[in-house]
Amino acid sequence: MLEDLKKKLVSSLEFIYPDLDSSFLANELIQTMGLDQQCQNPKDHQNNWDESETLLITYADSIHNTAAATTEKPLVTLYNFLQGHLKETISSVHILPYFPYSSDDGFSVMDYLAVNESHGDWEDIERIANEFTFMSDLVINHMSARSRWFDNFKKRIDPGKDYFYEGNPQDDLSAVVRPRTSPLLNPVTTEDGERFVWCTFSEDQVDLNFENPKVLLEFVNIVKHYLDHGVKIFRLDAVAFLWKKAGTPSIHLQETHEIIKLFRVLIEHHSPDAVIITETNVPNRENLTYFGNANEAHVIYNFSLPPLLIYSLISGDCRHLKTWLMSMPPAQMGTTYLNFIASHDGVGLRPTDGLLAEEEKNQMVSTMLQFGGQMTYRRSREGTDKPYEMNISLYDAMKGTIAQGEDKWQLQRYLCAHAIMMALEGIPAFYIHSLFGTENDYARMENTGRARSINRSQWDISELEDQIENKFSHHSKVFSRMNELIAIRKKQSAFHPNATQFTLHLGLQIFGFWRQSMRRDQSIFCINNISNEVQDIALSDINLIGTDDWVDLLSGLKVDDLAGSLTLAPYQTVWLSNR
């Protein structure tokens, strides 16, 4: 088994580091992961999930206890909330970077091996990991400019001397794909004089240099550390930008894909039930490449879903959503999609390239601004600033429509969006604020000076529980209905992440698709009115099988007359199942 493992590692290492001894480096990687002591044999195309899989996305301190007498750390508060309110709903928990950091709410990591002491400690992480499948960020592209490694870089000593990527201002960097408008190269004074470090995202987030194999070994050691503390899902943050090369776009380079393969091989030989998820907020066709040949990411984010679904619901037109869904290849066994419609970041617009016209994007942006949202920009290759990300809470994004502005259908539109997301091929992921219908947080945004903070609220546990218990609060209505939808979804074999999916054609105001279980013992027709008007559908257009008994899982309504019609209220969803 070790020889087969080594062959796989050497195959990638020879491409990444053609001038190094790949066999020697492979042995170092194996020893660092402890695979020379214990190595498991992963099965090809193994699904480490089923229809009961649901993922929660949260910061360590999204919920905290501000009671004057308490010294409770946020990770303890979070654990108590999960146990008290979400134990039957959520199976996996993604806690966004919980390490010491200097900026970007955690994504500028100062120490990968420590837990931010203001949040808690490793025991708190392990307590959550013992109850839920635990997902951790591996912030692999960049590190804080205030880290020990970067201090050593400036001092020109190890570890850190050659850990960060240096650029030359004289090089042609015009082709580099930028997600920000900040300078790509930043001057730094070191013991050897001025150096220019590569900063894809910000001056405080300095890109790491994977051309140095010591950096690769450091991160393999970090991965082993996380596995030892109960991490089972690894989110490779901003991994598309990992390998840089002057004169190229410096995104999606083959070296990056080979490094992902390396991590996949090492992780699954340590823990066959562990999973890699790549975070690549890019156009859809580029995103799909991170599956590789079922040998890179186990799971990729469905980044095109949030903007397309928002556009469909505020325009009342699902043609682009249908076109996209028809173009999505079924994921191979052992791989799947992560479906989400809200996260700690804003709603990216690059994943709509080739899917929405510029005029349609502009209409959506204008509407989000009208609903209180903000906009961040990126620097294009032409040197102009283009809209990159819509910053708005999902609840406020559902306030109304492009044509008519705010209306009375916000709650129904919001729940419809989640019902669609839950039913699609893949694993559903819920940003914690989506469970409560949290609104735009203008105070937090003003306090931090960052647009993304509008959707990064922090709830006091007492206030949150009061809102959940108040049946007249929209927070309570959202939380209650979301839990009901998830509970129903988790019981349906046709909603397995790899179950068959086909797109239905029922007009522009009805978004529909069909799911069939892998055992073919259940079919569900997911029919969604994405408009603010009542819609009637002839049941003959859905092609329900006459010998089966059909029932709407959400309302309990039985469908007896297949020659009749189905009437849907604005933003109503039905899940017609034959069992």
Side-chain angles (χ1 to χ4, degrees), residues 207-257:
D207 285 33
L208 290 151
N209 178 23
F210 273 85
E211 289 184 8
N212 180 354
K214 290 182 181 179
V215 175
L216 176 63
L217 285 163
E218 291 276 15
F219 271 86
V220 171
N221 179 62
I222 291 165
V223 165
K224 176 64 163 55
H225 186 79
Y226 293 175
L227 286 165
D228 290 344
H229 286 289
V231 173
K232 286 295 184 183
I233 308 176
F234 292 83
R235 177 186 183 269
L236 305 191
D237 178 65
V239 69
F241 301 96
L242 196 65
W243 200 271
K244 300 90 164 93
K245 192 178 296 182
T248 76
S250 295
I251 187 173
H252 312 316
L253 298 186
Q254 187 57 38
E255 289 86 350
T256 293
H257 287 280

Side-chain angles (χ1 to χ4, degrees), residues 42-49 232-234 236 260-261 263-269 271-278 290-292 294-301 331-338 426-427 497-498:
K43 295 179 181 178
D44 291 335
H45 303 289
Q46 174 177 301
N47 292 329
N48 290 321
W49 46 76
K232 286 295 184 183
I233 308 176
F234 292 83
L236 305 191
I260 295 171
K261 290 178 189 176
F263 279 108
R264 164 83 176 248
V265 169
L266 291 167
I267 287 171
E268 66 185 5
H269 278 79
S271 301
D273 58 343
V275 169
I276 287 177
I277 298 181
T278 49
Y290 285 86
F291 278 139
N295 60 352
E296 294 186 36
H298 296 87
V299 184
I300 64 171
Y301 281 82
Q332 295 186 53
M333 292 299 172
T335 67
T336 194
Y337 299 101
L338 189 73
I427 297 168
N498 295 92

Side-chain angles (χ1 to χ4, degrees), residues 120-348:
D121 55 32
W122 280 116
E123 287 186 5
D124 298 318
I125 294 294
E126 290 174 6
R127 185 181 301 114
I128 295 173
N130 286 335
E131 300 292 335
F132 303 87
T133 304
F134 192 86
M135 175 170 165
S136 178
D137 285 275
L138 188 65
V139 185
I140 195 170
N141 178 71
H142 49 263
M143 193 178 188
S144 170
R146 291 172 53 192
S147 64
R148 181 174 69 91
W149 283 359
F150 196 66
D151 281 344
N152 287 349
F153 172 85
K154 291 184 287 186
K155 295 174 183 175
R156 314 308 292 153
I157 60 175
D158 289 322
K161 177 182 176 182
D162 301 314
Y163 280 15
F164 296 90
Y165 195 83
E166 297 181 36
N168 186 340
Q170 305 306 315
D171 287 339
D172 180 8
L173 302 176
S174 60
V176 174
V177 172
R178 295 302 317 284
R180 298 288 186 271
T181 57
S182 56
L184 177 62
L185 300 183
N186 285 285
V188 176
T189 301
T190 77
E191 294 294 328
D192 290 344
E194 188 175 61
R195 304 272 180 151
F196 288 86
V197 292
W198 190 292
C199 300
T200 297
F201 292 92
S202 78
E203 188 174 357
D204 187 48
Q205 295 166 298
V206 187
D207 285 33
L208 290 151
N209 178 23
F210 273 85
E211 289 184 8
N212 180 354
K214 290 182 181 179
V215 175
L216 176 63
L217 285 163
E218 291 276 15
F219 271 86
V220 171
N221 179 62
I222 291 165
V223 165
K224 176 64 163 55
H225 186 79
Y226 293 175
L227 286 165
D228 290 344
H229 286 289
V231 173
K232 286 295 184 183
I233 308 176
F234 292 83
R235 177 186 183 269
L236 305 191
D237 178 65
V239 69
F241 301 96
L242 196 65
W243 200 271
K244 300 90 164 93
K245 192 178 296 182
T248 76
S250 295
I251 187 173
H252 312 316
L253 298 186
Q254 187 57 38
E255 289 86 350
T256 293
H257 287 280
E258 295 297 331
I259 288 173
I260 295 171
K261 290 178 189 176
L262 276 178
F263 279 108
R264 164 83 176 248
V265 169
L266 291 167
I267 287 171
E268 66 185 5
H269 278 79
H270 181 282
S271 301
D273 58 343
V275 169
I276 287 177
I277 298 181
T278 49
E279 189 264 335
T280 48
N281 191 356
V282 295
N284 195 52
R285 289 188 178 183
E286 299 172 27
N287 190 31
L288 289 169
T289 65
Y290 285 86
F291 278 139
N293 294 315
N295 60 352
E296 294 186 36
H298 296 87
V299 184
I300 64 171
Y301 281 82
N302 238 336
F303 273 110
S304 295
L305 178 60
L308 286 177
L309 187 50
I310 290 172
Y311 179 80
S312 298
L313 287 163
I314 66 173
S315 68
D317 184 338
C318 67
R319 73 182 72 193
H320 298 307
L321 192 59
K322 287 197 300 182
T323 299
W324 165 76
L325 194 64
M326 288 187 292
S327 72
M328 292 296 285
Q332 295 186 53
M333 292 299 172
T335 67
T336 194
Y337 299 101
L338 189 73
N339 295 323
F340 74 107
I341 46 178
S343 74
H344 62 291
D345 287 339
V347 180

Side-chain angles (χ1 to χ4, degrees), residues 526-552:
C526 309
I527 315 295
N528 309 274
N529 180 0
I530 53 94
S531 78
N532 57 8
E533 297 179 350
V534 173
Q535 301 290 330
D536 288 308
I537 312 166
L539 288 170
S540 58
D541 290 342
I542 305 176
N543 293 322
L544 301 179
I545 298 173
T547 55
D548 289 348
D549 295 323
W550 296 93
V551 62
D552 174 22

